[in-house]
Amino acid sequence: MRAVITVTGKDTVGILARVSTMCAKYQANVIEVSQTVLQDMFAMIMMVDIDQINCELHELVDIMRTEGEKNGLVIQVMHEDLFNSMHRI
Amino acid sequence: MINSKEVLETIHMIQDQHLDIRTITMGISLLDCADPDIEKSCDKVYAKITRLARDLVKTGVDIEKEYGIPIINKRISVTPISVLVAASGGDPVLYAKTLDRAAKTVGVNFIGGYSALVQKGFTAGDRALIESIPRALKETEHVCSSVNIGSTKAGINMDAVAWMGDIIRQCAEETADQNCFGAAKLVVFCNAVDDNPFMAGAFHGVGEGDVVLNVGVSGPGVVRAAVAGAPEDADLTQIAEIIKKTAFKITRMGQLVGTVASERLGVPFGIVDLSLAPTPAIGDSVAHILEEIGLESCGGYGTTAALAMLNDAVKKGGVMASSRVGGLSGAFIPVSEDAGMISAVREGSLGLEKLEAMTAVCSVGLDMIVIPGDTPSEVIAGIIADEAAIGMVNSKTTAVRVIPAIGKREGEELEFGGLFGTGPVMSVNTFSPSKFIKRGGQIPAPLQSLKN
């Protein structure tokens, strides 16, 4: 199973590091990252493998959201199937 | 692999265009709860609902979180209670209170099925139930009621039509201190469907299985945004195509959520209802889609044609996206729940007559319409009869959910709040149909051949 993590907010030093550290802490394996900085807005989409995570997915959703709020970022974790079902037949 | 454009499109739909799953509704058969003793019967009803739906809300909340798609309502529909009343006798309101209590216990916001199907005649259970509707809706919070008074195969039971005109008035009067909300929890149907997940008209048909999970999707905001993104010179063929593709994406969400929820609950997946259900939120309006297609205001000429196209395109896209489609499936036009409809009524562009015409081409009927408090019951019955005739002749579901605003007149408004919105009191033609309604009897079923 995979999940999509999206991160948006004002660009600061260490966003990617912070999010990847969180992923490592909960055993979510980062498969792919794409990121852009438009003016000073940071936007990142991360695909992670969640087969081995050491908490429930809905817990990870809350943990990442709270971590984002602490740092002025919006971090969303969503199950990959949502996107697959909408965009793939 | 999903690309970032697709990820952003989905997130944009959810965050900015109000894409959501409007409801997951568990249909529960109560046929095995029938008992000659009404108290025993109620106990069985309570036990069965709270056993089967125990995890419904939690499952909904979990899926909502994991997938990141809001599931607005978790609800229950049950076998028409008139069937149980027929077996047990006694005061039907006891059932309403039992359903209310069960709804509170499992945490759903509405439970539908305080219903009777009387298109061809009344049983003793039907009579007792219909008579009790105003009291049941006054004394409960979560219970919704519906009565089917006609069908293409049976014709229209005009005795029931006359009676329901009166019952709707009573519901409003009994709850006058709560914005006449009782009447908003009651729907009168022609050709009611057995697997509708939407309130207030949901009930679990007697031909359905023991328990089933139905899903209602929503997404007027997404469709409007897609139409808005079309080239300025796009013709209607292209617009229909855009709507179809968008409806496909919306419905896939419903299919996914329904499949996951039914697996987790161990309940068979029923249907996805392909309805565009608006909310009073800005940007979540069916009227605004019609205006985006090219009307100055919903209600003007062209509205019926644009709505017919929208309704058909939504179904075509949705059918492809889901393995099982059912329920009401079409665009809803509930006036008080749709920001665009509300402003169209306030501006004088949308009236009851145009709404009636619109119901001939879309799901489902005259919905959430506030009428003057002094509208006589025969006039309400006349509205029901006309709407039922449209459904009967066109082999489609039609319904009436009007709310007489006790003590208010045209120009004033009734504020329900939340998803139910605000209803401007609409003008009603009050030339009396009294003699016609009082004749009673049955309008015979229409001929279904010799259509030339």
Side-chain angles (χ1 to χ4, degrees):
Chain A
M1 283 197 307
R2 292 187 299 197
V4 175
I5 302 180
T6 57
V7 184
T8 49
K10 200 168 163 11
D11 192 24
T12 51
V13 174
I15 298 181
L16 179 56
R18 190 170 288 130
V19 179
S20 340
T21 309
M22 293 297 285
C23 287
K25 186 174 170 192
Y26 295 96
Q27 298 289 312
N29 186 25
V30 179
I31 301 169
E32 196 185 312
V33 181
S34 80
Q35 72 160 70
T36 50
V37 180
L38 209 66
Q39 287 165 349
D40 60 347
M41 282 301 287
F42 177 90
M44 176 170 75
I45 298 169
M46 211 175 214
M47 182 73 81
V48 296
D49 189 314
I50 51 170
D51 278 336
Q52 310 294 328
I53 52 171
N54 51 18
C55 62
E56 294 293 324
L57 177 57
H58 64 88
E59 288 167 347
L60 187 65
V61 172
D62 280 340
I63 292 166
M64 291 301 241
R65 199 193 48 228
T66 321
E67 179 68 18
E69 282 164 4
K70 272 193 270 174
N71 296 290
L73 299 165
V74 179
I75 306 184
Q76 273 187 303
V77 183
M78 294 157 90
H79 198 293
E80 184 203 26
D81 280 354
L82 185 83
F83 303 96
N84 283 334
S85 69
M86 186 182 266
H87 298 287
R88 298 283 179 274
I89 296 179
Chain B
M1 184 76 89
I2 296 298
N3 63 42
S4 40
K5 187 170 160 272
E6 292 164 337
V7 169
L8 292 177
E9 184 190 357
T10 305
I11 291 179
H12 196 45
M13 281 181 178
I14 295 170
Q15 284 182 349
D16 307 326
Q17 297 163 5
H18 305 278
L19 173 61
D20 56 47
I21 302 296
R22 183 49 47 86
T23 179
I24 53 174
T25 304
M26 183 181 273
I28 300 174
S29 169
L30 298 180
L31 290 174
D32 54 349
C33 301
D35 194 289
D37 178 338
I38 188 165
E39 298 211 344
K40 275 190 197 150
S41 185
C42 284
D43 289 346
K44 289 186 202 170
V45 167
Y46 181 81
K48 184 163 186 185
I49 295 173
T50 50
R51 174 170 57 85
L52 289 171
R54 191 181 52 213
D55 295 328
L56 176 65
V57 173
K58 185 184 175 300
T59 306
V61 171
D62 284 351
I63 294 174
E64 193 171 0
K65 224 171 206 177
E66 288 169 29
Y67 289 83
I69 175 121
I71 302 173
I72 308 296
N73 297 301
K74 295 91 188 168
R75 293 168 167 174
I76 296 171
S77 64
V78 297
T79 306
I81 292 296
S82 68
V83 176
L84 298 192
V85 179
S88 69
D91 180 5
V93 175
L94 286 177
Y95 285 108
K97 289 184 172 166
T98 307
L99 295 178
D100 205 40
R101 201 156 50 87
K104 279 196 186 102
T105 306
V106 299
V108 296
N109 62 352
F110 280 115
I111 183 163
Y114 199 73
S115 307
L117 311 177
V118 296
Q119 59 271 29
K120 220 169 171 186
F122 302 96
T123 63
D126 295 330
R127 283 187 195 282
L129 183 120
I130 293 176
E131 199 178 354
S132 76
I133 290 174
R135 204 155 44 88
L137 296 184
K138 181 184 185 200
E139 292 178 16
T140 60
E141 203 181 328
H142 307 283
V143 175
C144 289
S145 175
S146 56
V147 176
N148 190 59
I149 50 84
S151 74
T152 302
K153 290 220 166 102
I156 301 172
N157 179 349
M158 288 300 289
D159 294 316
V161 168
W163 197 6
M164 288 316 293
D166 198 36
I167 293 288
I168 289 176
R169 265 207 73 83
Q170 283 181 41
C171 284
E173 282 165 5
E174 291 277 348
T175 52
D177 56 340
Q178 303 157 40
N179 283 324
C180 312
F181 195 62
K185 295 188 285 183
L186 170 64
V187 189
V188 184
F189 275 117
C190 176
N191 288 325
V193 293
D194 284 353
D195 51 6
N196 165 23
F198 287 104
M199 294 296 166
F203 64 86
H204 184 73
V206 287
E208 296 280 310
D210 192 49
V211 57
V212 74
L213 196 79
N214 298 321
V215 172
V217 295
S218 169
V222 183
V223 175
R224 195 200 59 78
V227 174
E232 199 52 33
D233 60 349
D235 68 15
L236 289 171
T237 317
Q238 289 166 296
I239 298 286
E241 200 59 27
I242 290 170
I243 297 172
K244 233 163 69 177
K245 285 180 184 160
T246 313
F248 176 86
K249 291 179 180 172
I250 297 172
T251 311
R252 293 283 282 186
M253 299 286 93
Q255 174 77 16
L256 172 72
V257 168
T259 313
V260 175
S262 66
E263 261 172 35
R264 292 192 186 177
L265 289 163
V267 165
F269 182 22
I271 55 95
V272 177
D273 188 316
L274 313 174
S275 292
L276 280 184
T279 66
I282 301 296
D284 203 20
S285 151
V286 169
H288 286 157
I289 303 176
L290 303 177
E291 290 165 10
E292 199 64 61
I293 293 175
L295 304 171
E296 183 187 355
S297 172
C298 175
Y301 287 106
T303 301
T304 313
L307 182 60
M309 182 196 74
L310 169 67
N311 198 47
D312 182 64
V314 166
K315 280 184 214 170
K316 285 174 177 160
V319 162
M320 261 292 285
S322 172
S323 49
R324 300 181 79 178
V325 170
L328 299 169
S329 286
F332 289 171
I333 49 170
V335 175
S336 79
E337 298 173 7
D338 185 309
M341 300 267 172
I342 297 170
S343 49
V345 172
R346 283 180 187 151
E347 283 163 18
S349 122
L350 181 63
L352 215 46
E353 278 72 19
K354 191 62 180 178
L355 279 162
E356 186 181 305
M358 289 160 77
T359 65
V361 300
C362 82
S363 138
V364 141
L366 296 173
D367 196 12
M368 289 304 281
I369 292 171
V370 181
I371 57 175
D374 58 0
T375 311
S377 10
E378 304 84 57
V379 172
I380 300 176
I383 295 173
I384 298 172
D386 283 351
E387 196 54 34
I390 291 174
M392 173 181 77
V393 170
N394 294 303
S395 305
K396 75 184 286 293
T397 308
T398 50
V400 173
R401 177 161 56 148
V402 293
I403 299 113
I406 304 301
K408 291 192 192 267
R409 292 180 194 176
E410 194 189 332
E412 294 183 76
E413 297 198 344
L414 211 52
E415 175 82 44
F416 302 112
L419 281 179
F420 293 94
T422 303
V425 179
M426 295 182 69
S427 157
V428 171
N429 180 336
T430 48
F431 283 93
S432 178
S434 179
K435 189 174 172 190
F436 169 68
I437 295 297
K438 280 188 184 139
R439 282 180 193 274
Q442 185 92 5
I443 294 185
L447 203 56
Q448 288 297 302
S449 56
L450 305 177
K451 287 216 165 187
N452 300 330

